[in-house]
Amino acid sequence: MAEYKGVLVLAEVTGDRLSPMAMELLGCGRKLADDLQENLYAVLLGDGITNLAQSAISFGADSVYTVDDPALKGYSNGLYAQAMESVV
């Protein structure tokens, strides 16, 4: 497990912004990452969401991974799981 570093947060997107829950999770993730002296990574999944990366950074993320694809416009367990698997 030593090769795994950092804290990863899946930041939910609602409409054209980060959800309130995503902002809260980023805040908690930031505290945990700081306590562990690690980086905080955010993942954004959806369609047309790349522009929200800066928002995730402003809420504490050190780096943001985006999977921006029209197929992710609506939530789908299978597609979201595949996208998260590719990020991880």
Side-chain angles (χ1 to χ4, degrees):
M1 295 288 288
E3 68 272 13
Y4 297 105
K5 300 254 182 206
V7 176
L8 180 71
V9 170
L10 172 58
E12 179 185 14
V13 175
T14 303
D16 62 349
R17 63 184 59 157
L18 295 179
S19 74
M21 180 62 70
M23 293 181 257
E24 188 173 337
L25 285 171
L26 286 165
C28 293
R30 176 76 272 152
K31 181 178 179 343
L32 178 60
D34 288 346
D35 289 348
L36 296 171
Q37 297 181 342
E38 296 289 347
N39 286 326
L40 174 61
Y41 303 96
V43 177
L44 304 176
L45 307 176
D47 180 33
I49 48 87
T50 303
N51 61 320
L52 296 176
Q54 188 58 46
S55 231
I57 289 171
S58 72
F59 281 98
D62 294 306
S63 298
V64 180
Y65 298 98
T66 60
V67 181
D68 195 328
D69 189 305
L72 298 171
K73 186 174 183 91
Y75 180 77
S76 164
N77 284 337
L79 291 176
Y80 270 55
Q82 286 176 349
M84 280 301 294
E85 182 179 14
S86 72
V87 169
V88 173

